[in-house]
Amino acid sequence: MLNRYLPSFRARRTVATAVLAAFMCAGCGLLFLLFAGGREADLAHARVTDAWNRVVPLIREGPLPPVLYRGEVEAIQVLDARGRVAASTPGLIGKPPIATFRAADRNVRTTRVLCPRGSAGCVTVTSYKVYQPQGVWLLYVAVPEVPWYGTTTDLLLVIGISVVVTTMMTAWSFRNLTKAMAPVNAIRAELGEITLTALDRRVPVPANYQEIRLLAETVNDTLDRLESASTRLRRFTADASHELRTPITAMRAQLEEALLYPHDTDWPRMTHAVLAGVDLLQVTAADLLTLTHLDARPLLRHDLTDLGRLAAAELRRRPRQHKIVEDLAEGVHVECDRLRITRLLCNLLDNAERHAASRITVSVRAEGTSVIMEVADDGAGIPAEHREMVFDRFTRVDTARDRGAGGTGLGLAIAREIAEAHEGALTIEDSERGACFVLRLPAYDTCRSVRPG
């Protein structure tokens, strides 16, 4: 779970290395203590064996001195065949037997851990049988109990080394994590200061830590898109205000003039002029609502549509001001929202009607995995450097494409938005004369409609 919050692979690797080092240190320390405990147990057994080698000859050869040399063991005591103390080390003189157990059956040796009352700790007592003519004598050799970890010195040494290594690894990990978090903190601080009036600022991109660098680049790309969208929104708002203010100003001037000179005013003519302005406002408002709806990327219908038949039906319905040449292939199918594609075609036809000299050509055909629909006019055309500009909202590239021509400056923008919403493209391509608008849509894949049996 910790990996979810660490900023980069290098930081996660640092923590993993530190944790692994701590576990390895603990494991090595445990193995060392087990080794030290085994070594101390072997040394204790060797001391017991040495005491046995010294005392048993004295028992068998006699005479056995009442006071025995202790050597490197804790205590030695010898009991005769009657169970009486025959000899012992100085610390046990005059004291009762330290133990009464003996090896069972034919065994010669056995060992037990005893904890006498009043003593400081437990001892390991080894009992030996010594066979004498008068019976079995018992030799008891006691040594301090050996802990599993060996000696206290070994334990303190391991604890000290573990603390030092763990401290060093923790400090190293903290330093690396601090370095890894510094770019994240810088990104957070910069993002906290970016507001709507400071969208030109960008977060710092660190040279190290790949994941953090990719995060910073993604944030900057997002800020680029946000700044572009904000600039586009401000420009669109200003253009929309200008486009709406102009007809409103004209209508107001006409009405004020009519009020000032009511007897000299041609009221029917003035009324028709005001209604024309209202119509323009209504069309502009409708186009603005359409663009707002398209900007929200609404869910589209996916109707299987013959694009040639759809274009033919629209051409039959529309009144014609110019000659229309039709080249519409049948059986060219797409999945589309019919109402929106019809709106796209109407906008292209309206644009062609305004700028054609005498003829408009509409064609539909299949081309590989795409379906092509072209609307071309024989008008003045559009210069190559302005072919993208005409798709901007409220853009008019010359006086021929002004408000007087009847357009709102939003028709082509709406058409491109509809094309992109269908995962298609709307562009202007070269033609012998006039402007040629080309719509490309993904062709309907018949394989998708066949379910495996």
Side-chain angles (χ1 to χ4, degrees), residues 24 29 43 67 106 150 250 315 322 338 353 403 417 433:
M24 290 182 63
L43 291 177
V67 180
R106 296 182 180 180
L315 292 175
H322 301 88
R338 295 177 185 174
E353 290 282 359
R403 189 179 297 104
E417 291 287 345
R433 183 181 178 185

Side-chain angles (χ1 to χ4, degrees), residues 336-350:
C336 66
D337 190 320
R338 295 177 185 174
L339 291 178
R340 295 194 184 279
I341 293 298
T342 301
R343 173 66 185 275
L344 184 153
L345 176 59
C346 289
N347 287 2
L348 296 182
L349 290 173
D350 290 341

Side-chain angles (χ1 to χ4, degrees), residues 278-290:
V278 172
D279 290 339
L280 179 59
L281 287 177
Q282 187 175 7
V283 172
T284 302
D287 287 345
L288 289 174
L289 288 175
T290 301

